[in-house]
Amino acid sequence: MAGLALSMALPAIDRGWAQSASPTLGVQSPAQQPVQQQPQQIELPAAPVERENPGLINEIGKLFERSKTALPPLKSPGETFNDLTNIARPSTVVTGRAVCVVASNGAPDCKTGADRLCQSKGFKEGKGIDTDASEKCSPLVYLPGHKRGPNDCKTENFVTRAVCQ
């Protein structure tokens, strides 16, 4: 079988050599000279497309690129110093009793209560650190035979200790 394929291929190779070989020494007759064609535009190969390398180093590089946007920007030394002086500013713990206002959602807002408590002691603002709650009821609740209703009493919250600045 291999001999048959080889014997069929050899004549085709011989014909190809016979046709392409010319005995002249590079001199061609005017009839054989090729006709000048207009220059064709040469297409440059496209720029190689950068393939993504799915290796470990590439993944670590992606992680660093993403982390640049996730981290907060670095502060200047002056900004850092200002932040530290605000933290280290002396503060005082005061005691007293200031009512917490009720927020729109019904929860107590004790920040305003802490601010009021600190302002009553001569400070600008404060943060509550201890609170107390009590129930405030209408006087009717204490009458004998009065059946207590859902709106007869309400819970009031107070700030009792605050850190003031």
Side-chain angles (χ1 to χ4, degrees):
M1 184 72 177
L4 179 65
L6 185 62
S7 66
M8 293 175 87
L10 284 176
I13 293 174
D14 284 342
R15 274 183 272 153
W17 281 342
Q19 290 175 358
S20 66
S22 83
T24 61
L25 298 173
V27 178
Q28 295 180 350
S29 67
Q32 290 180 345
Q33 289 182 351
V35 177
Q36 291 287 334
Q37 295 179 355
Q38 291 186 1
Q40 297 178 355
Q41 289 184 350
I42 299 173
E43 291 185 29
L44 297 175
V49 178
E50 188 174 319
R51 291 184 343 180
E52 187 171 318
N53 186 359
L56 177 65
I57 302 298
N58 186 40
E59 293 300 318
I60 291 173
K62 286 182 192 176
L63 180 67
F64 281 126
E65 287 299 318
R66 281 188 226 126
S67 69
K68 287 180 185 176
T69 58
L71 295 175
L74 294 176
K75 293 183 178 182
S76 69
E79 291 172 331
T80 305
F81 182 73
N82 289 340
D83 290 347
L84 289 175
T85 56
N86 288 340
I87 292 170
R89 198 174 340 149
S91 58
T92 305
V93 176
V94 297
T95 58
R97 191 168 176 90
V99 177
C100 299
V101 296
V102 178
S104 61
N105 63 0
D109 179 13
C110 290
K111 172 65 176 141
T112 56
D115 288 343
R116 285 186 197 152
L117 181 60
C118 290
Q119 289 167 359
S120 71
K121 305 291 182 176
F123 294 95
K124 182 179 176 184
E125 63 178 358
K127 183 174 182 177
I129 56 174
D130 196 12
T131 59
D132 188 19
S134 66
E135 190 174 59
K136 184 177 182 180
C137 298
S138 77
L140 296 175
V141 173
Y142 302 110
L143 293 175
H146 178 72
K147 194 170 189 178
R148 187 172 177 172
N151 295 329
D152 287 341
C153 298
K154 67 177 185 175
T155 303
E156 287 187 335
N157 292 293
F158 300 92
V159 175
T160 56
R161 282 192 321 158
V163 176
C164 301
Q165 293 183 344

